[in-house]
Amino acid sequence: MSKTNSLPEPNDQWNLWEVFIQESDNEPHRHAGSIRGADAENALQNARDVFARRGKTKSIWIVQSDHIVATTTGDSASFFDPTSDKVYRHPHFYKHTLDDELWKK
Amino acid sequence: MSENIAAMEAEFNRRIAAGETIEPNDWMPEKYRSQLKRLISQHAHSEIIGMLPEGNWITRAPSLRRKLALLAKVQDEAGHGHYLYSSAETLGISREEMFDQLHSGKAKYSSIFNYPTLSWADMGMIGWLVDGAAIINQTTMAKCSYGPYSRALLRICKEENFHKKQGMEIIATLIASGDTGKAMVQESFTRFWWPTLMMFGPHDTNSPNSPDMMKWKIKLKGNDELRQRFIDMTVEQAQKWGLSIPDQQLAFNEATRSWEIGEIDWNEFTAVINGNGPCNQERMETRRSAHDNGKWVRDAAHAYEEKHRSKITTAA
Ligand SMILES: [Fe+2]
Ligand SMILES: [Fe+2]
């Protein structure tokens, strides 16, 4: 696992934030992109001005980019591997229904 | 060591061939990284410099409706620049460095923005032709192999249709207004036609970076193919509006079902790309002074954030 962004220290530029947008009540927040902002309030306003320009925005989350921890492509095969042989976690693993002969026996 | 790199490169090529996207922390060949840095930052600069020819007309828009539309479009372009700078930053180049490259004249941007906007019809022409050409380029590029660039382009493509449509509305309105309006459109079209075709870049045979970029799916279609797609679409639209195309050699090829144009003036293209177009100097000066004049805003926001932070620390 590693930090998503290993950027050079910003100097003249403001802090870097990741922006998550929720478009309607029943949807989760989805990553929209990143934004610069000196502080959280400033970053939220900038995120609104760039990513919420055409309605359809219910809420915005922002988080400083260097707080994000992520899997890497190289690790992901072994990291997600334990779930690949657990077919019994899926409904199609279960065969017998009312129409089967099994329950009559 | 070199064996190791060969193995990583083989795995990288396998992933590209399988249609996987490459993400910022993945291993990538140095040349893939440097090509992308160049390409994405140039694209970002084009969005930012691209605001200037249209910005020129915001205060002189003929109605409030047109002014709102133009303002919104120019703001969108600022956002596009931002998405693209962000995705280039994921490759390990800072925004400052990219700005330095732009302001020092080291970096290139689309040649089209070095032409002047002399009449209101040019606002229609930019939306119709320039954004139209950009849409063809960007929808193709959106399928490229680098994840952050591809996602930025998807977002950009969603906004571009409005740009093109507001431009076409300006043109249709001017044409409908009578002879004077139509003449204004024709004059503008004559100036913009060839520079727009140059936007697609040199012939593929003269494009030294193309083979690598195609192999790595940084580029998905050749310059000539995309240019042809634009020509076939636009010639028909121009004819519907009754505009004449400034090309004596333009002819329809029945066999290929497409329009063949005369030769592009590549000397002009080279001159404009190398800084000698009609507006290169003015664009750079405007851009540099905008950056310098904005310094106090960046500094003030920094100072405000620092003051706030020190208050929190002292309170605790
Ligand atoms: Fe754009
Ligand atoms: Fe645009």
Side-chain angles (χ1 to χ4, degrees), chain B residues 107-229:
Chain B
K108 304 234 185 307
Y109 55 85
S110 181
S111 56
I112 192 73
F113 301 119
N114 291 314
Y115 290 87
T117 43
L118 305 174
S119 78
W120 172 250
D122 291 359
M123 296 303 98
M125 214 51 68
I126 289 183
W128 175 38
L129 297 183
V130 177
D131 288 90
I135 289 171
I136 289 184
N137 262 330
Q138 291 168 346
T139 45
T140 313
M141 288 296 292
K143 291 164 208 131
C144 79
S145 61
Y146 189 56
Y149 189 33
S150 149
R151 290 189 287 273
L153 285 166
L154 281 177
R155 195 165 271 283
I156 287 172
C157 289
K158 279 189 198 160
E159 300 185 335
E160 288 292 352
N161 284 337
F162 143 62
H163 299 179
K164 186 174 171 184
K165 279 196 79 178
Q166 64 88 38
M168 292 176 82
E169 196 189 271
I170 291 173
I171 292 175
T173 309
L174 279 172
I175 289 176
S177 74
D179 289 348
T180 319
K182 190 168 178 191
M184 198 193 265
V185 170
Q186 181 64 59
E187 188 274 333
S188 170
F189 183 64
T190 304
R191 272 185 293 116
F192 271 91
W193 173 252
W194 288 106
T196 308
L197 299 185
M198 295 176 198
M199 279 176 72
F200 293 91
H203 288 310
D204 297 313
T205 43
N206 294 330
S207 189
N209 294 322
S210 277
D212 264 344
M213 289 172 73
M214 293 282 225
K215 179 182 90 184
W216 283 328
K217 294 189 186 161
I218 290 176
K219 204 168 166 176
L220 294 112
K221 293 273 191 293
N223 296 348
D224 291 317
E225 183 182 342
L226 294 175
R227 180 168 23 240
Q228 192 58 50
R229 202 186 289 173

Side-chain angles (χ1 to χ4, degrees), chain A residues 2-8 11-16 31-36 38-39 41-42 50-51 53-54 72-74, chain B residues 15 23-26 72 75-76 79 82-83 86 89-90 94-96 99 155 159 162 291 295 297-299 301-302 304-305:
Chain A
S2 75
K3 297 284 179 75
T4 41
N5 280 296
S6 43
L7 295 176
N11 23 45
D12 189 31
Q13 297 297 315
W14 298 333
N15 293 318
L16 187 64
H31 186 239
S34 30
I35 198 79
R36 295 278 176 180
D39 59 12
E41 192 191 350
N42 179 224
V50 172
F51 293 102
R53 287 176 50 69
R54 288 178 171 78
T72 59
T73 312
Chain B
R15 292 185 59 207
E23 296 298 331
N25 282 335
D26 298 353
Q75 285 173 340
D76 277 357
H82 168 77
Y83 304 154
S86 294
E89 282 178 298
T90 64
S94 73
R95 197 168 297 210
E96 288 246 300
F99 285 169
R155 195 165 271 283
E159 300 185 335
F162 143 62
H291 188 70
K295 186 171 168 26
V297 180
R298 297 192 293 278
D299 291 346
H302 263 311
Y304 179 79
E305 187 261 344

Side-chain angles (χ1 to χ4, degrees), chain A:
Chain A
M1 260 169 253
S2 75
K3 297 284 179 75
T4 41
N5 280 296
S6 43
L7 295 176
E9 240 345 85
N11 23 45
D12 189 31
Q13 297 297 315
W14 298 333
N15 293 318
L16 187 64
W17 306 74
E18 296 307 311
V19 182
F20 298 83
I21 302 264
Q22 183 192 33
E23 292 196 336
S24 66
D25 279 331
N26 296 327
E27 283 175 274
H29 287 71
R30 281 180 218 277
H31 186 239
S34 30
I35 198 79
R36 295 278 176 180
D39 59 12
E41 192 191 350
N42 179 224
L44 258 186
Q45 286 167 348
N46 290 343
R48 175 202 57 199
D49 293 347
V50 172
F51 293 102
R53 287 176 50 69
R54 288 178 171 78
K56 269 186 75 182
T57 306
K58 185 82 190 171
S59 109
I60 301 179
W61 288 349
I62 53 164
V63 58
Q64 281 207 328
S65 304
D66 57 6
H67 289 187
I68 299 219
V69 179
T71 56
T72 59
T73 312
D75 296 346
S76 65
S78 58
F79 190 75
F80 298 114
D81 182 51
T83 62
S84 61
D85 60 351
K86 295 183 174 55
V87 276
Y88 51 86
R89 290 180 179 177
H90 298 274
H92 64 245
F93 179 72
Y94 301 93
K95 305 264 182 300
H96 303 294
T97 70
L98 286 174
D99 298 328
D100 284 320
E101 294 302 301
L102 182 78
W103 65 276
K104 293 181 187 161
K105 281 174 195 159

